[in-house]
Amino acid sequence: MDSQSMLALGAAIAIAIGAYGGTSAQGKAVAAALEGIARNPAAKSDIQTPMIIGLALIESLVILSFLIAFFLQAKIGA
Amino acid sequence: MKFILALMLLLTSASALAAGGFMWLEGLTHSVGQPDHVVTFSIICVLFLILGIIYRAKTSNVDKALVPDKGITFRNIYEFFGDFIYNLSKSTIGEKEGPEYFKFFMFYFLLIFMNNLIGLVPGFMPPTENLNTGLGLGILVFLYYNFHGIRVQGLKAHIAHLMGPIAAMAPLIFVIELISHLMRPLTLGLRIRGNMMGDHTVLAVFSDLVPYIVPIPFYVLGIFVCFMQAFVFTILSMVYMNLAVELQDHGDHAH
């Protein structure tokens, strides 16, 4: 396998694992928040804001893996 | 509802026109010699200024402005967003500090929201799709909350906050905290860039496949994504602001 295809595979695997981990964690967070809202609908606004903050913080690591995939992808043509 | 549907139909038929690579601002970008996102961003800033002046003129008469308008008018839409961000900043930054920094976040929210929305008009590229715009906005937030953190707590307390509560662990915690702080503008910029690019690409692909009717759900999704990304950017900046400004009440023993 030459270095070009290794780079391409590395970029694809980086974003794939990042997206998988991030989405499964986000799914857990949303499930817990929805459960809380279903049990106590009055607390909807109090739960929603921390949930969105948590989702954004989880997403930031996915974005960092996207960044690495992006850098690897830029190296392919060179 | 009829109006919205007509607007969607108009947009989709315009996207058929834009499929050939037509851009509204192509002539302007050539004559100014600046890249596309800079020109679009500047135009939106001017539009923003005009809207602000119109709003100011409508509410300048205090006796008349006390009574809200009926129905969906320009002023009501403006005040809906203002109310929304005001309550958000109060609940996130604090009852006392929130109104102090409200203007900055209101400006940010509306600016990013408009910059996202312009991408839905065929023939325009959203400026937030370019990484430079996102990073610029993120770095301004970084400078702003650090400035206010130092102003409120003093330089010593602001840096001491990076050390963590235990003195023996300070060298390790300091490095981790520093990296996480420096990552904040980067993740803010990349998040908005990645989401807008993904949304715009989906829209472009489906407009290319079938120019009529089919892209309408993606326009609805696009409006939602535009709102959500502006909201997430604003609320994260507010949380960073809260962490920088409010911690002096807790002291070192609280965490």
Side-chain angles (χ1 to χ4, degrees), chain B residues 58 72 77-78 87 109 123 225 230 236 247:
Chain B
K58 284 202 176 192
I72 303 172
I77 294 171
Y78 220 81
N87 287 333
F109 176 78
V225 169
L236 278 177
L247 272 160

Side-chain angles (χ1 to χ4, degrees), chain B residues 136-212:
Chain B
L137 292 167
I139 286 167
L140 190 58
V141 165
F142 179 76
L143 292 178
Y144 187 76
Y145 82 74
N146 273 312
F147 170 74
H148 278 287
I150 291 168
R151 184 183 63 91
V152 172
Q153 305 193 59
L155 184 63
K156 211 174 143 204
H158 190 70
I159 290 179
H161 179 232
L162 294 181
M163 302 283 193
I166 306 165
M169 293 286 280
L172 185 64
I173 301 288
F174 183 72
V175 176
I176 294 173
E177 282 279 313
L178 200 65
I179 291 174
S180 91
H181 266 256
L182 291 177
M183 278 295 170
R184 281 172 182 180
L186 193 67
T187 52
L188 279 177
L190 276 167
R191 176 177 298 115
I192 195 156
R193 189 255 177 178
N195 277 299
M196 291 323 293
M197 192 181 69
D199 178 52
H200 203 219
T201 310
V202 167
L203 202 57
V205 166
F206 275 92
S207 305
D208 279 352
L209 280 178
V210 190
Y212 297 101

Side-chain angles (χ1 to χ4, degrees), chain A residues 49 52-53 56-57 59-60 63-64 66-67 70, chain B residues 183 187 190-191 193 195 228 231-232 235-236 239:
Chain A
T49 314
I52 288 172
I53 294 167
L57 291 180
E59 209 186 35
S60 66
I63 290 167
L64 291 183
F66 168 71
L67 186 69
F70 198 68
Chain B
M183 278 295 170
T187 52
L190 276 167
R191 176 177 298 115
R193 189 255 177 178
N195 277 299
M228 213 56 212
F231 174 66
V232 164
I235 200 167
L236 278 177
V239 170

